[in-house]
Amino acid sequence: PELSELHQSFSVEPSIAWMLCRPLIRAAMFEQEEEEAVPPNLEPYLPHTELMRATSAAMLPEDCWKYLTQDLFEMFYSHSLYDIHCPETRYKTEIVRLDKDKE
């Protein structure tokens, strides 16, 4: 089922609905990046389309959109924890540099 159907028809929480649809959303994003025609079965999962924006808007109370943009909402839920990269080497280098400056 599509994202909107999961949320509206089956009362699945937004975070769970996005988790279930994330592989399809990512597949649609990759197809679009490669500038190929997106298959019809992936079109409902394309981020930044009117359908996706309408689906996202229906997932949260209207008051939430005063503090949150559609782009941020879609970006947040279309990625997973595995997409986050922490540049540990850069942080450690900067900490060493700051410690030297402190002394």
Side-chain angles (χ1 to χ4, degrees):
E2 294 180 13
L3 186 60
S4 59
E5 188 178 355
L6 282 172
H7 181 66
Q8 294 168 355
S9 301
F10 298 107
S11 301
V12 175
E13 292 182 25
S15 59
I16 304 298
W18 276 88
M19 181 192 68
L20 293 171
C21 292
R22 187 176 295 124
L24 294 168
I25 293 167
R26 305 265 323 233
M29 289 169 57
F30 287 129
E31 290 289 332
Q32 189 177 36
E33 282 177 6
E34 294 178 3
E35 298 180 15
E36 295 179 16
V38 177
N41 63 323
L42 292 179
E43 285 180 5
Y45 302 100
L46 272 173
H48 311 301
T49 60
E50 289 302 316
L51 177 61
M52 186 62 84
R53 289 186 181 279
T55 300
S56 298
M59 290 186 151
L60 294 177
E62 203 165 312
D63 289 344
C64 292
W65 298 112
K66 294 177 188 175
Y67 309 102
L68 189 64
T69 65
Q70 290 273 344
D71 291 334
L72 179 61
F73 183 79
E74 287 179 17
M75 183 67 68
F76 179 80
Y77 279 114
S78 63
H79 290 86
S80 68
L81 285 177
Y82 297 106
D83 296 321
I84 298 173
H85 169 71
C86 180
E88 289 183 44
T89 308
R90 181 181 286 170
Y91 280 115
K92 287 178 182 177
T93 304
E94 187 64 18
I95 289 170
V96 168
R97 186 189 68 78
L98 291 172
D99 284 341
K100 284 180 183 176
D101 287 350
K102 187 173 68 174
E103 295 172 359

